[in-house]
Amino acid sequence: MRRPRVVILGVGFGGMSAAKELEREDVDVVVIDKNNHHTFLPLLYQVATSGLNPADVAYPARGLFRRRRRVRFRQGTVIGVDWQDKRVLLAGEDPLPFDHLIVGIGAQANYFGVPGAAEHTFPLYSMSDALQVRNHLLSLFEAAAAREDLIHAGVLNIVVVGGGPTGIEIAGAIAELIDEVLEADFHDLDVHTARVILVEQGPTLLPPFEPALRDYAAGELRRKGVEVRLETAVKEVGEDYVLLGEAGDYIPTRMVIWGAGNRASDLASAIGVAQSRGGRIATNPDCSIPGKPDAYAVGDVAAIPDGNGGELPGLAQVAIQSGRHAAHQVLRTIEGKPRTVLRYHDKGTMATIGRTAAVAQLNNGTTLTGYPAWVAWLGLHLVYLVGMRNRVSVTLNWGWSYLTWDRGPRLILETPRINPPRRDGPYIPPPERVAGKGQQTQEVRPTT
Amino acid sequence: MRRPRVVILGVGFGGMSAAKELEREDVDVVVIDKNNHHTFLPLLYQVATSGLNPADVAYPARGLFRRRRRVRFRQGTVIGVDWQDKRVLLAGEDPLPFDHLIVGIGAQANYFGVPGAAEHTFPLYSMSDALQVRNHLLSLFEAAAAREDLIHAGVLNIVVVGGGPTGIEIAGAIAELIDEVLEADFHDLDVHTARVILVEQGPTLLPPFEPALRDYAAGELRRKGVEVRLETAVKEVGEDYVLLGEAGDYIPTRMVIWGAGNRASDLASAIGVAQSRGGRIATNPDCSIPGKPDAYAVGDVAAIPDGNGGELPGLAQVAIQSGRHAAHQVLRTIEGKPRTVLRYHDKGTMATIGRTAAVAQLNNGTTLTGYPAWVAWLGLHLVYLVGMRNRVSVTLNWGWSYLTWDRGPRLILETPRINPPRRDGPYIPPPERVAGKGQQTQEVRPTT
C-alpha cells in the first residue's frame, strides 16, 4: 500500500517541527523551502551585527533529515496550490501531489503603507536580510572614515523602527558594536558621532512585557546611547532621509532598519485560502484550514485562534507547538481518530538588550532582568538552536566576544553575481515520466 | 617634524606583511583595500566547498592594526597614481599623498583569450568568488534533485580547468564533498551521476613538483573519482557547455571553475608603470619600481627578478617576503642607507588533494606524500592563518569534519541587493578642507 504523502511548505520552526514529528512515522514526507537551510530567526540580529557567522544560526535542511530516508527535501519556489487535484505547484518543476499539506511559510516585514518603507528600509526576516544589514552597516562606517562630509549627510545615523523585541535587540546590538568594537577599529573616525535612534509608534517599548521590564529595557538602551523615541510614527522614508512624527521631523540617514511588525509571506495570498489580519491564513482551533480538511497552517503564517477570541502571537514557541500539533492531526486523520484543539503552552518571553542585559517574563508571573535574564536567554537560545556543531560554535563565539570585547565576522561580503537561472525555460516533462519508462531521452545540443 | 607617510595598496599577504613590519616604526601608514578584510587565499577552496566559514579565512583589516594608532586603514577603490605629486587617486574621495608607496594589489584569473571563459567560468581569487562557487555548486545539486532531466543536460558535470595546486585542491574537495556529504544529504538523487573533470593543458599535473608527487596526486584524484584529462586545452566555454581539446569535445556543464593561471589585477594597468608578462609590475631586484624611486611592488602583482634571469613565482611566501623587504627598503631609504636585494628563501611548496592526501616538497629536497604531507599542510596553514580566533575556529571545523565526515556551512546564501552607492556623486571637497577650518558647513537637504 502506498504510504500517505505529507507535503510541508517551509522549514522554519513550524515546518521543521512538523517534519521532525513525522520522520519516524509510516508516512512519506516532502519538505519544500526556497532556501536550502533552516534559519534560527531569533539570532539573526547577531549575524547582522557581526556577532555570529551565518552558518552558526542556519542549519542545512537536508542535514536535518539525513538519517530519515522517508523525509525528502526539495529546494524550490512554490507558486500555488491546486486544491482540486491536491498538488503543490512549483516554479519550473512538476506539480507535487500531496495527501496532507502543512503550510509553514512564515512572515515578512509589514510596512503598513508607509511611503518609501518597502523601497528604502532594511528588513530582518532572512539570512539574506541579515547579511545585507551587516554589509551596509559596516560600509557606512567605512564611507564615513573615508569622507568626513558624509557624516553631516547622516551616513552614521542609524534608525531602527519598532520597539518590540526585534527593534530593541538590533538597536542594542548596534550600540554595543559601535562602543565595543568599532571604536577600537577606527583610528581616524570618532565613531561616537554615530547615532542609533529607536522609533516606536506606541507609548512604550515591549508592550507585551510588564511595565517594570519595559522601563528597564528603555533605561538600558538609553544607557548604551540609543535615542529612544516613543509615540513617534514614521511618516516617510527616502533614500537618504526619514520623516518622523506628525510634524515630519527630518533625519538624514542611509540606514533605516524595519522591525515594526510583520505580515504573512506574500505566498500566502497565492495559496487560495481565506486570510485574516496581516494576510495570515485563518485556521480552525486544530490548525486545519477551513474548507481544506487535509491542510494545516502553522507558525507565523497562521492565524490560530487562542481560545479567547484572539490569535496566537507570532513567536517561535507558537510555531514549534503548532507544527507538532499539525503533524499529530495528520497522524490522527490517517488513523481515523478525531482531531484535537491546539492548547498552546506559553513558556514566557524574553528579549535581550546586550551584554548582561535582558528581560524575561515567565508564564508563572516571574520576571527577570539584567544578568540572570541574560544568562537564561543565552541558555534557552543554545537549547533551541539546531545541531550540536552550531551550539558549540555559538558558545565559542559568545565566549570569545564576552572575554575579548571583540567580534569576529565583521566582514563586508557580497556575492554580487546572481546565479545563472537554475531551472530555466518552461518546464517540459521528460518523456519517460509521461510514458513511465526508466530511461531519459532528452537530447542535449550546444546552444550558442 | 612630519612623519613620512607610507601608503600600502592591498592588504593581502604582501601589503599586510609590509604594514606589520612598519607598524612599530616612526612612520605613518595608510593601508587601502577594496575589501575590509585580509583573505587567506590558500584556504578559499575550502570555503567554496563548504568546509570553512568565510570568517574563518578572512580577517578584518582594521582588526590587524587595532593597537597601532599610526596605521590607518581605508576601504576604497584606487583608480590610479599621480606620480608627479606623489598621490594615490581614489574613486569619489580626496587624493591621498604619499612619501613611499608599496603596491600589493594581487592577481586575478588569466583567461588566456579562451572564448567565453571570462563570461561563463568561475574564478577563485576572492571571498566573493568562493561564495559564488559554493552557492552555485550546491544549487546545481538542488536543481538536479528537483528536475532529473537536468542531469542529462549536464547540470552535474563540474569542470575544473588547470592542473596546478588551485585546480587539484578544488577538484579533490568537490569530489570529497559529493562522496562524504552530499551522498547522505540527497535521498532522491544518485549524486554519483555527478562528474568532476579536471582539465590540464600540459602533460602533467603540478608541473613544479617532482614526478613521483605528480603521479601520486593524479592517482589520488582518480581514486576519488575525478576524471583527469591531461594535454587537453579548453577551446571555448558557453553558458551550458565547454569544448575541450583540438577536436572540440562537447561537454554539457553549468559550472566551469577556472584555476588555469593568473595575471596582475587590472588595476596594475592604471598605475602607469612598465608591466611584464601577465601585466605584472616589473621591479628591480630590491622590489622597487624602475623610475619610481619611492615605490615598490610586492606579491602576485610584482614581477620580481629571481636572480637567475627569471621571476619569483606567485606564492604566499614570495608575497610575505617581498612585502617585508619593501618595508625594510622604505626604512633604509628614510635612514639614508643603501637598498638591498631581495633574497627569496624558498621554504618549499605543498598542495592537498583531500582527507589525509597531500604532497609537499621542501627546499632541502625532501618530499612527502599522504598522511605526513597532509598533517604538515594542516599545521602550516594554521600557523600562517591570521588571528587566534580564526585558528581555533578552523581547527574545530577541521576536527569536526574529520570525525563526523560532515561539513557545516553547506548553505546557499546570496545577498542579492547590492548596497546603495556609498560615496555617490562627484567628490566635492567640504569647504573647511579648502579653507582650513575645523567646522563643516555643508548643507543637508532632503532629496526626493
Side-chain angles (χ1 to χ4, degrees):
Chain A
M1 203 185 80
R2 191 179 69 86
R3 274 194 294 266
R5 179 190 275 176
V6 187
V7 172
I8 298 174
L9 308 186
V11 69
F13 281 120
M16 179 177 68
S17 303
K20 279 283 164 197
E21 211 67 14
L22 294 170
E23 66 180 7
R24 292 160 205 253
E25 303 293 336
D26 196 28
V27 291
D28 281 328
V29 179
V30 182
V31 181
I32 305 175
D33 199 288
K34 61 180 185 299
N35 292 311
N36 82 331
H37 50 89
H38 164 75
T39 307
F40 190 76
L41 298 179
L43 288 178
L44 266 191
Y45 79 95
Q46 296 210 0
V47 175
T49 51
S50 303
L52 292 173
N53 288 308
D56 295 334
V57 304
Y59 198 89
R62 294 179 180 279
L64 291 169
F65 310 109
R66 286 193 123 189
R67 301 202 196 117
R68 308 293 168 191
R69 309 291 298 188
R70 286 208 289 275
V71 182
R72 286 186 298 148
F73 176 75
R74 176 81 62 94
Q75 188 185 17
T77 305
V78 175
I79 52 178
V81 175
D82 170 3
W83 293 105
Q84 190 72 37
D85 294 338
K86 295 182 84 170
R87 303 185 305 172
V88 172
L89 306 176
L90 295 157
E93 289 171 47
D94 273 339
L96 188 72
F98 63 84
D99 299 305
H100 306 268
L101 181 70
I102 298 175
V103 181
I105 51 179
Q108 64 190 39
N110 193 344
Y111 298 109
F112 301 107
V114 172
E119 297 82 4
H120 300 299
T121 72
F122 289 79
L124 205 49
Y125 282 95
S126 69
M127 187 64 77
S128 173
D129 290 346
L131 290 173
Q132 278 163 28
V133 168
R134 186 177 83 181
N135 283 340
H136 194 75
L137 184 63
L138 295 174
S139 293
L140 293 177
F141 283 86
E142 293 293 343
R147 272 182 60 178
E148 220 179 304
D149 58 319
L150 290 175
I151 300 174
H152 297 262
V155 86
L156 293 186
N157 295 343
I158 320 290
V159 178
V160 177
V161 182
T166 304
I168 72 155
E169 287 181 338
I170 189 82
I174 292 173
E176 280 194 348
L177 178 71
I178 294 169
D179 272 2
E180 297 179 9
V181 182
L182 299 185
E183 189 185 23
D185 269 358
F186 284 81
H187 299 171
D188 48 356
L189 172 70
D190 178 7
V191 295
H192 295 289
T193 55
R195 295 166 64 189
V196 182
I197 304 161
L198 178 64
V199 180
E200 163 60 39
Q201 185 158 18
T204 172
L205 299 180
L206 296 174
F209 286 77
E210 299 207 351
L213 301 188
R214 300 177 194 167
D215 293 347
Y216 170 83
E220 280 295 312
L221 284 170
R222 290 197 167 108
R223 209 172 55 75
K224 286 181 193 296
V226 176
E227 300 173 35
V228 180
R229 296 204 187 177
L230 302 173
E231 302 191 83
T232 304
V234 176
K235 213 174 164 189
E236 185 181 321
V237 187
E239 197 187 332
D240 52 8
Y241 68 94
V242 60
L243 302 184
L244 296 183
E246 281 316 300
D249 277 354
Y250 171 82
I251 294 182
T253 174
R254 301 291 176 93
M255 176 151 221
V256 179
I257 297 171
W258 196 264
N262 58 33
R263 50 175 288 111
S265 289
D266 279 341
L267 177 55
S269 314
I271 286 180
V273 296
Q275 286 171 278
S276 169
R277 200 165 48 88
R280 289 184 176 77
I281 300 173
T283 74
N284 298 316
D286 60 5
C287 299
S288 67
I289 301 176
K292 317 284 181 196
D294 292 319
Y296 306 82
V298 300
D300 283 358
V301 79
I304 306 168
D306 66 0
N308 299 313
E311 295 168 358
L312 291 176
L315 296 172
Q317 273 302 324
V318 173
I320 291 168
Q321 294 180 34
S322 60
R324 283 185 193 148
H325 189 79
H328 293 158
Q329 302 316 302
V330 167
L331 296 174
R332 292 181 73 90
T333 304
I334 292 169
E335 294 161 4
K337 293 181 184 163
R339 300 252 177 90
T340 60
V341 167
L342 169 63
R343 295 196 191 285
Y344 172 59
H345 177 59
D346 180 4
K347 297 185 175 175
T349 38
M350 311 179 113
T352 184
I353 302 115
R355 180 184 282 260
T356 76
V359 292
Q361 182 166 310
L362 310 185
N363 68 331
N364 62 6
T366 310
T367 61
L368 297 172
T369 59
Y371 202 85
W374 185 66
V375 170
W377 180 91
L378 292 177
L380 199 75
H381 282 74
L382 284 177
V383 167
Y384 278 98
L385 201 60
V386 176
M388 190 48 65
R389 190 177 176 291
N390 289 12
R391 288 191 195 113
V392 171
S393 181
V394 167
T395 305
L396 286 170
N397 268 293
W398 283 348
W400 183 273
S401 300
Y402 185 75
L403 295 174
T404 64
W405 298 73
D406 191 12
R407 294 191 201 183
R410 53 191 191 282
L411 307 174
I412 302 172
L413 294 180
E414 287 182 299
T415 50
R417 178 164 127 181
I418 303 302
N419 279 328
R422 301 189 293 114
R423 300 162 202 189
D424 13 35
Y427 181 76
I428 306 153
E432 76 284 8
R433 289 203 188 173
V434 177
K437 286 191 194 166
Q439 203 57 37
Q440 298 205 347
T441 54
Q442 188 170 329
E443 274 186 35
V444 176
R445 277 162 303 134
T447 59
T448 6
Chain B
M1 204 185 81
R2 190 178 71 86
R3 274 194 293 268
R5 179 190 275 176
V6 186
V7 172
I8 298 173
L9 306 186
V11 71
F13 281 119
M16 179 177 68
S17 302
K20 279 284 165 196
E21 211 66 15
L22 293 171
E23 66 181 7
R24 292 158 204 253
E25 304 294 335
D26 197 27
V27 291
D28 280 330
V29 178
V30 182
V31 181
I32 304 175
D33 199 288
K34 62 180 186 299
N35 293 312
N36 82 331
H37 53 268
H38 165 76
T39 307
F40 190 77
L41 299 179
L43 289 178
L44 265 191
Y45 79 94
Q46 296 210 358
V47 174
T49 52
S50 302
L52 292 173
N53 289 308
D56 295 334
V57 303
Y59 199 90
R62 294 179 180 279
L64 292 169
F65 311 109
R66 285 194 125 189
R67 301 202 196 116
R68 307 293 167 190
R69 308 292 297 189
R70 286 208 290 276
V71 181
R72 286 187 296 146
F73 176 76
R74 176 81 63 91
Q75 188 185 18
T77 306
V78 174
I79 51 177
V81 175
D82 170 3
W83 293 105
Q84 189 73 36
D85 294 338
K86 294 180 83 170
R87 304 184 307 171
V88 172
L89 306 176
L90 296 156
E93 289 171 47
D94 273 339
L96 189 72
F98 63 84
D99 299 305
H100 305 269
L101 181 70
I102 298 175
V103 181
I105 52 180
Q108 64 189 37
N110 192 346
Y111 298 109
F112 300 106
V114 172
E119 297 81 4
H120 300 299
T121 71
F122 290 79
L124 205 49
Y125 282 95
S126 69
M127 187 63 77
S128 173
D129 290 346
L131 290 173
Q132 278 162 27
V133 168
R134 187 178 82 181
N135 284 340
H136 194 74
L137 185 62
L138 296 173
S139 293
L140 292 177
F141 283 87
E142 292 294 343
R147 270 182 61 179
E148 221 180 304
D149 57 320
L150 290 176
I151 300 173
H152 296 262
V155 86
L156 293 187
N157 295 343
I158 320 290
V159 178
V160 177
V161 182
T166 304
I168 72 155
E169 288 181 337
I170 189 83
I174 292 173
E176 281 195 347
L177 178 71
I178 294 169
D179 271 2
E180 297 180 9
V181 182
L182 300 185
E183 188 184 23
D185 269 358
F186 284 81
H187 298 172
D188 48 356
L189 172 69
D190 178 5
V191 294
H192 295 290
T193 53
R195 295 168 64 191
V196 182
I197 304 161
L198 178 63
V199 180
E200 163 59 38
Q201 185 158 19
T204 173
L205 299 180
L206 296 174
F209 286 76
E210 298 206 352
L213 301 189
R214 299 177 193 168
D215 293 346
Y216 171 84
E220 281 296 310
L221 284 170
R222 290 197 168 108
R223 208 174 54 75
K224 286 181 193 298
V226 176
E227 301 173 34
V228 180
R229 297 204 186 176
L230 302 174
E231 301 192 82
T232 304
V234 176
K235 212 174 163 190
E236 184 182 321
V237 186
E239 197 186 334
D240 52 8
Y241 69 94
V242 61
L243 302 185
L244 295 184
E246 281 316 300
D249 277 355
Y250 171 83
I251 294 183
T253 174
R254 301 292 176 92
M255 178 152 220
V256 179
I257 298 172
W258 196 264
N262 59 33
R263 48 175 289 113
S265 288
D266 280 341
L267 176 56
S269 314
I271 285 180
V273 296
Q275 287 171 277
S276 169
R277 199 166 48 89
R280 289 185 176 77
I281 299 172
T283 74
N284 297 317
D286 60 4
C287 299
S288 67
I289 302 176
K292 318 284 182 196
D294 291 319
Y296 306 82
V298 300
D300 282 359
V301 78
I304 306 169
D306 66 0
N308 300 315
E311 295 169 357
L312 292 175
L315 297 172
Q317 272 302 325
V318 173
I320 292 168
Q321 293 179 34
S322 61
R324 284 185 193 147
H325 189 79
H328 293 156
Q329 302 316 302
V330 167
L331 296 174
R332 292 181 74 88
T333 305
I334 292 169
E335 293 162 4
K337 292 182 185 164
R339 300 251 176 90
T340 60
V341 166
L342 169 63
R343 295 197 191 284
Y344 172 60
H345 177 61
D346 180 6
K347 297 186 176 175
T349 40
M350 311 179 112
T352 185
I353 302 116
R355 177 183 283 262
T356 74
V359 292
Q361 183 166 310
L362 309 186
N363 68 331
N364 60 6
T366 311
T367 61
L368 297 172
T369 60
Y371 201 84
W374 185 65
V375 170
W377 181 91
L378 293 176
L380 199 75
H381 282 74
L382 284 176
V383 167
Y384 278 98
L385 202 59
V386 177
M388 190 47 66
R389 191 178 175 290
N390 288 12
R391 289 191 194 116
V392 171
S393 182
V394 167
T395 305
L396 286 169
N397 268 293
W398 282 349
W400 184 273
S401 300
Y402 184 77
L403 295 175
T404 65
W405 299 73
D406 191 12
R407 295 192 201 182
R410 52 191 191 282
L411 309 174
I412 302 172
L413 294 179
E414 286 182 298
T415 50
R417 179 163 126 182
I418 302 302
N419 280 328
R422 302 189 292 115
R423 300 161 202 187
D424 14 33
Y427 181 75
I428 305 152
E432 77 285 8
R433 289 201 188 174
V434 178
K437 284 191 197 165
Q439 202 57 38
Q440 298 206 347
T441 55
Q442 188 171 329
E443 274 187 37
V444 176
R445 277 162 303 132
T447 58
T448 10

